Structure formats: structure tokens, C-alpha cells
Coordinates of all heavy atoms in Angstrom, one line a residue:
A12 N 113.8 91.5 59.0 CA 112.8 92.4 58.3 C 112.0 91.7 57.2 O 110.8 91.9 57.0 CB 113.6 93.5 57.6
A13 N 112.7 90.7 56.6 CA 112.0 90.0 55.5 C 111.1 88.8 56.0 O 110.0 88.6 55.4 CB 113.0 89.4 54.5
Y14 N 111.5 88.1 57.0 CA 110.8 86.9 57.4 C 110.3 86.9 58.9 O 109.7 85.9 59.3 CB 111.8 85.7 57.3 CG 112.3 85.5 55.8 CD1 113.6 85.7 55.5 CD2 111.4 85.2 54.8 CE1 114.1 85.6 54.2 CE2 111.9 85.1 53.5 CZ 113.2 85.3 53.2 OH 113.7 85.2 51.9
G15 N 110.6 88.0 59.6 CA 110.2 88.0 61.0 C 111.0 87.3 62.0 O 110.7 87.2 63.2
T16 N 112.1 86.7 61.5 CA 113.1 86.0 62.4 C 114.5 86.2 61.8 O 114.6 86.1 60.6 CB 112.8 84.5 62.5 OG1 113.8 83.9 63.3 CG2 112.7 83.8 61.2
P17 N 115.5 86.4 62.6 CA 116.9 86.5 62.1 C 117.5 85.2 61.7 O 118.5 85.2 61.0 CB 117.6 87.2 63.3 CG 116.9 86.8 64.5 CD 115.4 86.6 64.1
F18 N 116.9 84.1 62.2 CA 117.6 82.8 62.1 C 117.1 82.0 60.9 O 116.2 81.1 61.1 CB 117.5 82.0 63.4 CG 118.0 82.8 64.6 CD1 117.1 83.2 65.6 CD2 119.3 83.2 64.6 CE1 117.6 83.9 66.7 CE2 119.8 83.9 65.7 CZ 118.9 84.3 66.7
T19 N 117.5 82.4 59.7 CA 117.1 81.7 58.5 C 118.3 81.4 57.7 O 119.4 81.9 57.8 CB 116.2 82.6 57.6 OG1 117.0 83.8 57.2 CG2 115.0 83.1 58.4
L20 N 118.1 80.4 56.7 CA 119.2 80.1 55.8 C 119.6 81.3 54.9 O 120.7 81.5 54.6 CB 118.8 78.9 54.9 CG 118.7 77.6 55.6 CD1 118.1 76.6 54.6 CD2 120.1 77.1 56.0
R21 N 118.6 82.1 54.6 CA 118.8 83.3 53.8 C 119.7 84.3 54.6 O 120.5 85.0 54.0 CB 117.5 84.0 53.5 CG 117.6 85.0 52.4 CD 117.7 84.3 51.0 NE 117.7 85.3 49.9 CZ 118.8 85.7 49.3 NH1 120.0 85.2 49.6 NH2 118.7 86.5 48.3
A22 N 119.6 84.3 55.9 CA 120.5 85.2 56.7 C 122.0 84.9 56.5 O 122.8 85.7 56.4 CB 120.1 85.2 58.2
A23 N 122.2 83.6 56.4 CA 123.6 83.1 56.2 C 124.1 83.5 54.8 O 125.2 83.9 54.6 CB 123.7 81.6 56.4
E24 N 123.2 83.3 53.8 CA 123.5 83.7 52.5 C 123.8 85.2 52.4 O 124.7 85.6 51.7 CB 122.4 83.3 51.5 CG 122.1 81.9 51.4 CD 120.9 81.6 50.5 OE1 120.2 82.5 50.0 OE2 120.6 80.4 50.3
W25 N 122.9 86.0 53.0 CA 123.1 87.4 53.0 C 124.4 87.8 53.7 O 125.1 88.8 53.3 CB 121.9 88.1 53.7 CG 120.7 88.3 52.7 CD1 120.8 88.6 51.4 CD2 119.4 88.2 53.1 NE1 119.5 88.7 50.9 CE2 118.6 88.5 51.9 CE3 118.7 88.0 54.2 CZ2 117.2 88.5 51.8 CZ3 117.3 88.0 54.2 CH2 116.6 88.2 53.0
F26 N 124.8 87.2 54.8 CA 126.0 87.5 55.5 C 127.2 87.4 54.5 O 128.0 88.3 54.4 CB 126.2 86.5 56.6 CG 127.6 86.4 57.1 CD1 128.3 87.5 57.6 CD2 128.3 85.2 57.1 CE1 129.6 87.4 58.0 CE2 129.6 85.1 57.6 CZ 130.3 86.2 58.0
I27 N 127.2 86.3 53.7 CA 128.4 86.1 52.8 C 128.3 87.1 51.7 O 129.3 87.7 51.3 CB 128.4 84.6 52.2 CG1 128.6 83.6 53.4 CG2 129.4 84.5 51.2 CD1 128.5 82.2 53.0
A28 N 127.1 87.3 51.1 CA 127.0 88.3 50.0 C 127.3 89.7 50.5 O 128.0 90.5 49.8 CB 125.5 88.2 49.5
F29 N 126.8 90.1 51.7 CA 127.1 91.4 52.2 C 128.6 91.6 52.4 O 129.2 92.6 52.2 CB 126.4 91.7 53.5 CG 124.9 92.0 53.3 CD1 124.0 91.6 54.3 CD2 124.4 92.6 52.2 CE1 122.6 91.9 54.2 CE2 123.0 92.9 52.0 CZ 122.2 92.5 53.0
S30 N 129.2 90.5 52.9 CA 130.7 90.5 53.2 C 131.4 90.8 51.9 O 132.4 91.6 51.8 CB 131.2 89.2 53.8 OG 130.6 89.0 55.1
M31 N 131.0 90.1 50.8 CA 131.7 90.3 49.5 C 131.5 91.7 49.0 O 132.5 92.3 48.5 CB 131.0 89.3 48.5 CG 131.3 87.9 48.7 SD 130.3 86.8 47.7 CE 130.8 87.2 46.0
C32 N 130.3 92.3 49.2 CA 130.1 93.7 48.8 C 130.9 94.7 49.6 O 131.5 95.6 49.0 CB 128.6 94.0 49.0 SG 127.5 93.1 47.8
V33 N 131.0 94.5 50.9 CA 131.7 95.5 51.7 C 133.2 95.3 51.5 O 134.0 96.3 51.4 CB 131.4 95.2 53.2 CG1 132.3 96.1 54.1 CG2 130.0 95.6 53.5
L34 N 133.7 94.1 51.4 CA 135.1 93.9 51.0 C 135.5 94.5 49.7 O 136.6 95.1 49.5 CB 135.5 92.4 51.1 CG 135.5 91.8 52.5 CD1 135.6 90.3 52.4 CD2 136.6 92.4 53.3
A35 N 134.5 94.4 48.7 CA 134.8 95.0 47.4 C 134.8 96.5 47.5 O 135.6 97.2 46.8 CB 133.7 94.6 46.5
I36 N 134.0 97.1 48.3 CA 134.0 98.6 48.5 C 135.3 99.0 49.0 O 135.9 100.0 48.5 CB 132.9 99.0 49.5 CG1 131.5 98.8 48.9 CG2 133.1 100.5 49.9 CD1 130.4 99.0 49.9
L37 N 135.9 98.3 50.0 CA 137.2 98.7 50.5 C 138.3 98.6 49.4 O 139.2 99.4 49.4 CB 137.5 97.8 51.7 CG 136.6 97.9 52.9 CD1 137.0 96.9 54.0 CD2 136.7 99.3 53.5
K38 N 138.2 97.6 48.6 CA 139.2 97.5 47.5 C 139.0 98.6 46.5 O 139.9 99.1 45.9 CB 139.0 96.1 46.8 CG 139.3 94.9 47.7 CD 139.0 93.6 47.0 CE 139.4 92.4 47.8 NZ 138.4 92.1 48.8
L39 N 137.7 98.9 46.2 CA 137.4 99.9 45.1 C 137.8 101.3 45.5 O 137.8 102.2 44.7 CB 135.9 99.8 44.8 CG 135.5 98.6 44.0 CD1 134.0 98.4 43.9 CD2 136.1 98.6 42.6

């Protein structure tokens, strides 16, 4: 959505950040 391609370094960063958020939701 942001860059017109799924294969970016930012995608890898978002994967980790989203994982942290979702895992935090489960704990909360």
C-alpha cells in the first residue's frame, strides 16, 4: 500500500513491529 511493492526493508520492519503489537494484545 505504501510503496507499490510488498518486498521492502520496511515490510520486514513492520512484520516485527506488528508481531510485537499483536503479541502484546494477547498478553493485555
Side-chain angles (χ1 to χ4, degrees):
Y14 302 114
T16 174
F18 306 117
T19 64
L20 288 173
R21 196 74 175 102
E24 294 176 1
W25 276 324
F26 160 58
I27 296 176
F29 286 149
S30 297
M31 292 168 62
C32 292
V33 173
L34 290 169
I36 291 171
L37 295 174
K38 297 176 178 75
L39 288 167

